[in-house]
Amino acid sequence: MPTGSDPVTGDRPATDRPAADRLVSADRLPLRRRLLPVIALLLLAPWAAECSWGGFAIDDFLPVLIFLGPMYGGAAILIRETARHLGAGWPTIVLLAAAFGVLQAGLVDQSLFNPDFLDDTQYADTRAAAEASLVPGLEFSLRQAFDYVGNHIVLTICAPIVLIESFLGADRRLRPWLGRPGLLVVGLTYLLGSLFIFSDINGDKGFLASPLQLSFAAVVVVALIAVALLPRWRHPRPRRARRVPHPLWVGLLVVLVRFGGDLTPGWAGVTVALTLAAAAGALIAYWSSGSGWGQRHVLAAGSAGLVIAAAFAYLVPPYSPASPAAALAGDVAVTVLTLALVGGAWWRLRRVSGWAVPGRRRAGGRAGRRTPRRGPAPRRR
């Protein structure tokens, strides 16, 4: 049984507890405290996925949460709970997020295989750039696949989970929030939400991918899930005594990947993007094995993509035409919400760590407090 801490956050992993304790850990907290982060993740995931980068004007925010929340939010909750119930860390979450991205783009809305998917939006002019990296036989754009799946990994799944977990204390950060009944409800919610989106888009666009394309997407999803559930991710290795960079540099690395992947179009651009993403992932994995790696580094890596998306929201149009006032109001709202979420998470982590230090000082002060020195006892006469 492993005795090391989580390889990414430094917190004590769930696998350090007995199996029976892990199964009931979700039931030890009051229902209200367990449901609050679940509801927050349910709402944050669809907003981050579709609104944080300027995809919708402000008057469409609420419909996005209502209609896309069960699918996006349900997926984020299921992925997070699966990893935490297994005692696994961020490698499992990222792999399951990639599986969700392929499932969403390849099987649910099938945007990966539908060349006309964006024709009725303000992104119809991106079709030529997408076709510059078309995969022969399967007829899908590798550039679009990288963008679709990558955005689901970064925005839909990882950023919301990082933010919500950063608001929690270290004792709850790796603990499951839901038991089996709650997971069943969320699973059904996700299934119904996905079926609703599939039927709505299929009826609107009248497109269905070929059996070969559907089979390819299904195989990739199963393969990613199988790798994500490997036992190796549940056994964190001991942390090594090595210096790690400041969290700011971790966030800048993510920014570099985001900008570097868009420098060149076509197959060259996809190659550069994949290379940068793989190199950044390997470097973050190396850094996270150091003893100085903590939740602040995780927050920097997970929230950098959301900050970039919010910054560029002013430069991209929403899917559907909107008035300049509504579009600008949506972009401003995205900025305010992003700064509040990321800034609040940083403040929360700093406040928690700040509590620990004064506590130790107070304890040390009591233990090390010197009593007034008395002089020699008077002699009896």
Side-chain angles (χ1 to χ4, degrees):
M1 186 173 293
T3 57
S5 59
D6 182 88
V8 176
T9 64
D11 298 329
R12 184 171 178 255
T15 49
D16 281 353
R17 302 190 298 269
D21 181 48
R22 295 200 306 270
L23 291 176
V24 302
S25 60
D27 299 327
R28 290 184 172 179
L29 292 174
L31 181 63
R32 175 180 57 84
R33 294 189 63 190
R34 283 187 283 120
L35 289 184
L36 185 60
V38 173
I39 296 173
L41 187 55
L42 184 70
L43 298 177
L44 182 56
W47 179 85
E50 297 292 351
C51 301
S52 65
W53 54 273
F56 288 92
I58 192 169
D59 50 354
D60 290 326
F61 280 14
L62 184 58
V64 167
L65 298 183
I66 294 175
F67 293 106
L68 299 181
M71 180 179 61
Y72 286 142
I77 295 170
L78 290 176
I79 289 173
R80 191 264 174 196
E81 290 298 287
T82 298
R84 298 316 182 198
H85 272 281
L86 293 175
W90 279 98
T92 294
I93 294 178
V94 172
L95 288 168
L96 290 177
F100 165 74
V102 177
L103 176 66
Q104 176 65 31
L107 300 176
V108 178
D109 61 35
Q110 300 185 13
S111 56
L112 184 61
F113 302 119
N114 185 0
D116 304 327
F117 188 79
L118 297 176
D119 283 357
D120 57 349
T121 71
Q122 298 198 83
Y123 294 90
D125 57 350
T126 63
R127 181 170 182 172
E131 292 178 347
S133 58
L134 208 61
V135 177
L138 292 171
E139 302 303 321
F140 73 90
S141 169
L142 192 59
R143 174 80 248 185
Q144 283 187 335
F146 179 82
D147 291 339
Y148 291 164
V149 177
N151 285 335
H152 280 308
I153 294 174
V154 174
L155 296 180
T156 308
I157 305 299
C158 291
I161 293 177
V162 165
L163 288 170
I164 300 302
E165 288 190 342
S166 296
F167 277 99
L168 302 177
D171 59 330
R172 297 183 60 199
R173 195 168 294 142
L174 303 182
R175 177 180 295 185
W177 299 333
L178 298 173
R180 291 189 181 93
L183 290 176
L184 179 60
V185 172
V186 175
L188 291 175
T189 301
Y190 165 72
L191 180 61
L192 293 176
S194 299
L195 290 175
F196 170 77
I197 296 300
F198 171 79
S199 61
D200 180 68
I201 292 181
N202 183 263
D204 182 39
K205 299 184 179 295
F207 174 84
L208 186 63
S210 68
L212 178 61
Q213 291 172 329
L214 296 176
S215 300
F216 170 78
V219 169
V220 173
V221 170
V222 172
L224 288 171
I225 293 177
V227 176
L229 299 182
L230 288 175
R232 63 170 301 176
W233 309 122
R234 310 176 204 176
H235 301 283
R237 298 178 181 179
R239 309 292 288 276
R240 299 181 179 181
R242 114 170 22 110
R243 293 184 61 183
V244 298
H246 190 275
L248 177 62
W249 293 109
V250 181
L252 289 177
L253 176 65
V254 178
V255 174
L256 174 63
V257 175
R258 172 63 179 82
F259 285 105
D262 293 334
L263 293 178
T264 307
W267 285 101
V270 175
T271 303
V272 171
L274 290 173
T275 302
L276 287 176
L283 188 56
I284 290 176
Y286 173 78
W287 284 340
S288 66
S289 63
S291 57
W293 186 271
Q295 183 63 22
R296 291 191 304 166
H297 297 85
V298 180
L299 177 60
S303 62
L306 185 65
V307 174
I308 297 171
F312 278 87
Y314 294 90
L315 304 179
V316 299
Y319 280 119
S320 301
S323 65
L328 179 60
D331 297 338
V332 172
V334 165
T335 300
V336 172
L337 288 173
T338 301
L339 291 178
L341 290 169
V342 178
W346 279 100
W347 173 83
R348 172 63 175 166
L349 289 177
R350 184 177 181 180
R351 185 181 181 188
V352 170
S353 61
W355 283 342
V357 174
R360 288 196 296 269
R361 289 176 180 171
R362 287 195 299 269
R366 288 194 299 268
R369 185 180 297 156
R370 298 194 310 176
T371 57
R373 188 174 182 179
R374 299 176 182 177
R379 295 181 180 178
R380 291 183 180 180
R381 294 182 179 178

